[in-house]
Amino acid sequence: MAAIFDVKNVNHLRPAIPRPGTLPSPCAACSVRHLTLCAALEESEVQEVAAIVSTLEVGAGEPLIAEGQPAAHVFNVTSGAVKIYKLLVDGRRQMTGFLFPGDFLGLANDETYAYSAEAVTASSVCRFPRRKLEALLRKYPRMERRLLSMASHELAAAQEQMLLLGRKTAREKIASFLLMLSRRAAQRELPDDPVSVLMSRNDIGDYLGLTTETVSRTFSDLKGKGIIELLPAGKVRLARRQDLEAIAEGA
Amino acid sequence: MAAIFDVKNVNHLRPAIPRPGTLPSPCAACSVRHLTLCAALEESEVQEVAAIVSTLEVGAGEPLIAEGQPAAHVFNVTSGAVKIYKLLVDGRRQMTGFLFPGDFLGLANDETYAYSAEAVTASSVCRFPRRKLEALLRKYPRMERRLLSMASHELAAAQEQMLLLGRKTAREKIASFLLMLSRRAAQRELPDDPVSVLMSRNDIGDYLGLTTETVSRTFSDLKGKGIIELLPAGKVRLARRQDLEAIAEGA
DNA sequence: CGCTACGTTGAGAACAATCAACCCCGGTGG
DNA sequence: CCACCGGGGTTGATTGTTCTCAACGTAGCG
């Protein structure tokens, strides 16, 4: 339990390619640009972004930001998977999101982060100093508009998640979760039917407001009914997607 | 139960002052401007906003927007209280927010609203045609920045609410709810200690992921312990705010 | 004056949490 | 090489918080 609090030290973040001076623009080859903030920019403008970002690699389980820390940076996930969460004083945890390539994190109202973030699997992120990004946003209103659009999308997702947390049963939550993963994989042109579930049962529980045991039991139950199949390496086949969708919507 | 579905017809929205031609600028006297989108604007620019808004009055319980409808307008609450919510197919409802003067609603990614909204008490709202507002945002980037700031604030609130829904007990939820109402009243310079709880037990339940009965029981319980006092007209005195805060945070 | 909507309280049921045992796997060190 | 350990996952038994069903009180309104 104590381990969840070990999110203070963010010093083990390492630059991806530790060869200053020989760095090619990390943005030029960015494979998720069409999904991110930078989708709003012309090729030439991307250069300016490249000038202010650092690319970082984070190992599985390593912290990226911690709730309450000064919000100095904004991040963009470029590979892997990141989880963001909030804690109660006694250690209860609520995952507020899983982030995949193209998703951003670190927007803050006041001067500190409102949540913690840590890598689920080995991941890379690009990091923008907040001040410099703000300057860039002022220069390129299209970029700001893009950010607003992304935030508004996040807001809609958050409301969907509130519906799930407040009103869905364990079964409905798991069904919704698998479909969400599948849809997001599809958006990124990754396999969406045997869908890859990278996070632990415990992480899933903390995302859905359930315990590990209930998550595990519910997976088994859905498997028993032939609605899903549990494959090796965390893959899940959505054998009867229609049924899964009906369950997710509360039918 | 069927009644919750009667949110289709939004034709009973009435202009506040049905005397076209003699309308004074509704924005000039706007008492919540410092809390809204328009906080970003100069006096002269507010004129341009005034040119595109309509002011509407909505009676208690009347719908404002319905999930799935074409998202033609964005709204700003100027008086009263509005609830926004999502429904499951069988009628289960999750309130995703209570809105007070200065709050906005109607941001949409795609072309339809992601949630329904209805007045809790008699309220007034100002309504922006979405297209025209977008044009204005393009013209005044400060306004767009203000909107981003409001959206990002909403996002933080949504994450806090996810923590509540997924991980707090009934007691903690009610304590958090009362403190939230108190804080928001204070922001608006309204009485924040005997705090005014305008919504029904059922609405509160649908906001906190509880049933009416549990909400009622939990209020009674907190009253029994001397932590709150239930006064007439839906007022609640936070007799021991410290304790309430400790409960809300899970201590 | 009776109706309906809302709130409160009680009794019992149910879903998910808790406590606990066990398995499997990968890593480590004897 | 294998025994040990720890983390993650599964399953079982039991508990408990919240839901459900039900009754009743009260206030507002036609």
Side-chain angles (χ1 to χ4, degrees), chain B residues 91-111:
Chain B
R92 275 174 287 170
R93 185 176 65 160
Q94 178 65 43
M95 237 47 121
T96 54
F98 288 112
L99 305 184
F100 298 105
D103 295 329
F104 75 93
L105 66 148
L107 269 199
N109 308 301
D110 46 35
E111 295 303 305

Side-chain angles (χ1 to χ4, degrees), chain B residues 169-170 210-211 213-214 217:
Chain B
T169 64
L210 300 171
T211 58
E213 294 94 329
T214 300
R217 271 188 251 275

Side-chain angles (χ1 to χ4, degrees), chain B residues 2-251:
Chain B
I4 0 181
F5 292 104
D6 294 338
V7 285
K8 311 253 155 58
N9 183 1
V10 189
N11 293 333
H12 31 83
L13 301 180
R14 308 175 295 277
I17 308 166
R19 294 182 305 158
T22 64
L23 272 174
S25 161
C27 300
C30 179
S31 63
V32 293
R33 196 155 84 217
H34 64 292
L35 298 168
T36 73
L37 208 50
C38 302
L41 299 177
E42 304 290 329
E43 206 61 36
S44 64
E45 295 162 353
V46 170
Q47 305 291 336
E48 291 187 63
V49 174
I52 67 166
V53 301
S54 347
T55 308
L56 305 173
E57 301 288 329
V58 226
E62 284 178 12
L64 200 54
I65 63 177
E67 185 173 347
Q69 266 190 344
H73 298 99
V74 173
F75 301 82
N76 220 311
V77 180
T78 52
S79 80
V82 169
K83 57 194 183 193
I84 66 184
Y85 58 88
K86 290 176 74 84
L87 295 172
L88 289 175
V89 289
D90 64 357
R92 275 174 287 170
R93 185 176 65 160
Q94 178 65 43
M95 237 47 121
T96 54
F98 288 112
L99 305 184
F100 298 105
D103 295 329
F104 75 93
L105 66 148
L107 269 199
N109 308 301
D110 46 35
E111 295 303 305
T112 62
Y113 294 120
Y115 51 81
S116 306
E118 129 185 5
V120 174
T121 61
S123 302
S124 32
V125 300
C126 59
R127 186 179 75 180
F128 304 81
R130 196 186 167 200
R131 296 278 160 234
K132 290 183 183 170
L133 179 62
E134 275 167 6
L136 218 51
L137 291 177
R138 263 152 204 62
K139 187 165 175 191
Y140 298 113
R142 261 175 304 135
M143 202 174 180
E144 183 137 58
R145 220 167 299 145
R146 173 69 184 157
L147 192 55
L148 177 58
S149 150
M150 291 175 79
S152 131
H153 199 278
E154 287 253 319
L155 208 44
Q159 289 169 339
E160 191 65 43
Q161 190 67 1
M162 287 190 235
L163 176 62
L164 178 148
L165 290 169
R167 289 306 183 203
K168 290 189 182 179
T169 64
R171 214 156 197 285
E172 292 162 356
K173 286 175 176 181
I174 295 287
S176 305
F177 175 69
L178 288 172
L179 289 166
M180 180 273 283
L181 284 186
S182 175
R183 277 192 281 266
R184 292 176 75 177
Q187 274 169 17
R188 288 171 176 74
E189 291 170 356
L190 296 170
D192 73 324
D193 196 329
V195 61
S196 182
V197 179
L198 302 159
M199 56 292 284
S200 70
R201 297 290 185 256
N202 191 37
D203 283 356
I204 298 171
D206 282 350
Y207 182 61
L208 301 177
L210 300 171
T211 58
T212 330
E213 294 94 329
T214 300
V215 172
S216 182
R217 271 188 251 275
T218 308
F219 269 104
S220 299
D221 181 53
L222 291 172
K223 184 179 79 174
K225 296 202 161 54
I227 295 171
I228 62 172
E229 282 169 42
L230 301 177
L231 311 176
K235 300 256 186 282
V236 178
R237 210 168 82 71
L238 313 183
R240 288 158 51 195
R241 182 182 271 262
Q242 304 285 327
D243 291 3
L244 212 55
E245 271 160 1
I247 294 171
E249 285 156 23

Side-chain angles (χ1 to χ4, degrees), chain A residues 200-202 213 216-217 220:
Chain A
S200 70
R201 298 290 186 256
N202 191 37
E213 294 94 327
S216 182
R217 270 188 251 275
S220 300

